[in-house]
Amino acid sequence: MTVRNQFTTKGFILSGLMNIFGVLIFSRFFTNSVIPEYDSQAMSNFGLLMIVVWGFAFISVSKNFDKVPWLIGVFVIEKLVYASHWTNWMINNKVSEVFEKDKMAGIFYSIYGINDWVFFFFFLVVFLKLIQTNK
């Protein structure tokens, strides 16, 4: 495995761990009622569980990502959807209100979209390189 592939593998693992542990820690294992209160569409307990599932999906392809370029394209779309949703949420809501109710929920809303934008670009670069290589 090349150094570049090792770096990319670690990126997939990190993305997955961020999804899994970010949700579990900040939602206090799905018991934090403030997170779903402020975004019942994407951040219901079911939605949070699905974020954890996506995390496992990212980790599952970490060592074989080069064999599934179109799945990486799906990851790009998934991250774009969540990152765009967060950006829209930040424009139309006050995260300070969330902090007043619960610091963990406030931190969650402050950072989850930044994480999604970072990994959107990571997956996009990986996807574009894979598509270019497989021509």
Side-chain angles (χ1 to χ4, degrees):
M1 183 179 278
T2 66
V3 172
R4 178 175 284 156
N5 281 357
Q6 287 176 353
F7 173 80
T8 304
T9 291
K10 289 177 182 174
F12 277 90
I13 293 169
L14 181 61
S15 178
L17 292 175
M18 295 290 283
N19 270 41
I20 295 163
F21 289 108
V23 165
L24 293 177
I25 290 167
F26 291 107
S27 75
R28 295 185 189 99
F29 287 82
F30 307 106
T31 64
N32 187 333
S33 62
V34 177
I35 291 174
E37 177 185 337
Y38 279 89
D39 185 357
S40 59
Q41 264 188 329
M43 298 303 160
S44 65
N45 281 337
F46 177 78
L48 293 170
L49 177 62
M50 290 300 96
I51 293 169
V52 171
V53 170
W54 277 109
F56 284 113
F58 303 149
I59 293 170
S60 75
V61 300
S62 64
K63 295 187 187 232
N64 299 309
F65 63 88
D66 55 328
K67 294 179 177 50
V68 289
W70 292 105
L71 181 57
I72 309 313
V74 172
F75 293 171
V76 171
I77 295 166
E78 183 270 345
K79 286 298 182 187
L80 179 60
V81 168
Y82 276 96
S84 298
H85 182 83
W86 173 80
T87 300
N88 186 55
W89 189 93
M90 291 296 280
I91 290 168
N92 294 300
N93 293 275
K94 294 181 180 173
V95 75
S96 60
E97 291 177 10
V98 183
F99 269 103
E100 287 174 17
K101 278 197 159 184
D102 183 84
K103 285 189 183 189
M104 293 292 276
I107 294 168
F108 177 80
Y109 276 102
S110 296
I111 64 173
Y112 93 77
I114 296 167
N115 176 72
D116 285 335
W117 279 118
V118 166
F119 285 106
F120 160 75
F121 287 110
F122 168 76
F123 289 140
L124 180 62
V125 168
V126 172
F127 174 70
L128 293 174
K129 285 185 180 185
L130 290 174
I131 294 305
Q132 206 170 37
T133 303
N134 291 333
K135 280 188 177 181

